Amino acid sequence: MSRGNLFVISAPSGAGKSTILKKLLVAVDNLAFSVSHTTRAPRPGESDGREYHFVDRATFEGMRTDQAFLEWAEVHGNLYGTSRAAIEEQQAKGIDVFLDIDVQGAHQLREQRIQGAIFLFIAPPSWGELERRLRGRGTDPEETVQLRLNNARQEMQDAGRYDYLVINDQLDEAVDVLRAVVIAERCKGRRSPNGQPIDWEKVKG
Ligand code: ADP
Ligand code: 5GP
């Protein structure tokens, strides 16, 4: 069984990463979303175990001490981390895993030189549109919006370090681009476009 890839995806808050990923997970087989742990409070409509595992600071710090995280970072004043065990289980089953993590977390994974990790950066079509989307989402108070906009300037500086850059202008086009990347990376790893291993003996004849 060939191992699944690890797609590491970052974007400034409000660029549309969660929206794109939700559509991608429906459109592509054998793909899983890595559910991070966070100390942030759930937004309206979010549920524990789906968007995040919502934990208190003491629980998060306990997991960190136990080396349970592949990477972790403090983002916009909250702690976020990727569980090592959950990722490993999916990849071992040949499933590609998407990590929605910030630029600091992506940097940590690049340093770890993890095999099969592919880095994607999603950017909004313009600064004005990013601001509109952040406010339009209507889930964050104004001071949180300001904090996220300030951080976005810094995060955008990192875009050049990623393998792929995707501009999220038209949503469906951005989803198509991501789908194309997933399929191309599967073919690079000698797997079929749907993620299944290729029976090479049968192909060779
Ligand atoms: P992120 O996960 O990157 O913080 P979200 O997926 O929550 O961002 O998107 C932020 C807001 O922008 C949401 O209200 C979403 O519906 C909207 N949005 C996402 N992509 C697009 C797009 N291509 N065009 C217009 N609005 C979009
Ligand atoms: P939000 O609070 O809007 O869901 O996410 C805020 C930021 O935290 C986003 O940039 C998101 O990618 C990042 N993030 C979510 N989970 C993780 C994680 O496990 N690790 C790291 N480093 N960042 C994360």
Side-chain angles (χ1 to χ4, degrees):
M1 168 74 71
S2 20
R3 275 175 72 76
N5 287 323
L6 209 59
F7 291 96
V8 179
I9 179 163
S10 303
S13 183
K17 195 172 22 146
S18 318
T19 308
I20 292 176
L21 284 182
K22 273 191 194 125
K23 285 188 159 253
L24 188 74
L25 287 167
V26 173
V28 181
D29 285 338
N30 291 312
L31 213 58
F33 174 66
S34 155
V35 180
S36 296
H37 286 71
T38 184
T39 61
R40 156 164 94 58
R43 294 190 184 121
E46 287 183 336
S47 70
D48 190 34
R50 190 178 62 195
E51 283 81 8
Y52 285 103
H53 299 290
F54 295 98
V55 294
D56 58 26
R57 232 177 155 93
T59 305
F60 192 99
E61 279 165 5
M63 289 182 71
R64 198 170 64 189
T65 307
D66 293 343
Q67 312 272 319
F69 294 126
L70 187 62
E71 62 72 41
W72 69 272
E74 179 156 359
V75 193
H76 316 311
N78 293 299
L79 300 174
Y80 295 83
T82 302
S83 151
R84 208 181 276 280
I87 304 273
E88 178 51 38
E89 191 189 326
Q90 301 279 14
Q91 275 193 289
K93 284 194 279 191
I95 292 173
D96 290 340
V97 184
F98 261 83
L99 307 190
D100 167 350
I101 66 175
D102 86 313
V103 294
Q104 304 171 72
H107 181 68
Q108 290 174 39
L109 295 184
R110 238 180 254 115
E111 295 281 293
Q112 291 180 37
R113 299 188 189 286
I114 293 177
Q115 215 193 335
I118 298 122
F119 295 83
L120 298 105
F121 193 90
I122 297 188
S126 68
W127 189 260
E129 178 62 14
L130 178 67
E131 229 175 309
R132 244 187 316 279
R133 286 183 191 172
L134 259 182
R135 293 219 165 80
R137 189 162 67 185
T139 51
D140 298 305
E142 180 56 27
E143 63 185 54
T144 305
V145 170
Q146 283 303 332
L147 177 67
R148 287 174 180 240
L149 279 173
N150 284 339
N151 291 344
R153 295 232 180 257
Q154 197 61 40
E155 289 158 351
M156 219 83 100
Q157 304 289 320
D158 259 48
R161 305 165 92 184
Y162 287 69
D163 299 316
Y164 296 93
L165 171 66
V166 181
I167 304 291
N168 178 22
D169 189 355
Q170 297 303 315
L171 182 58
D172 287 344
E173 281 177 23
V175 174
D176 278 351
V177 171
L178 256 75
R179 185 166 167 271
V181 169
V182 170
I183 291 173
E185 291 292 341
R186 284 176 174 175
C187 294
K188 198 195 267 181
R190 306 293 181 260
R191 287 190 290 154
S192 62
N194 67 7
Q196 300 292 341
I198 289 173
D199 182 351
W200 190 237
E201 289 309 315
K202 199 171 109 191
V203 177
K204 266 193 323 189

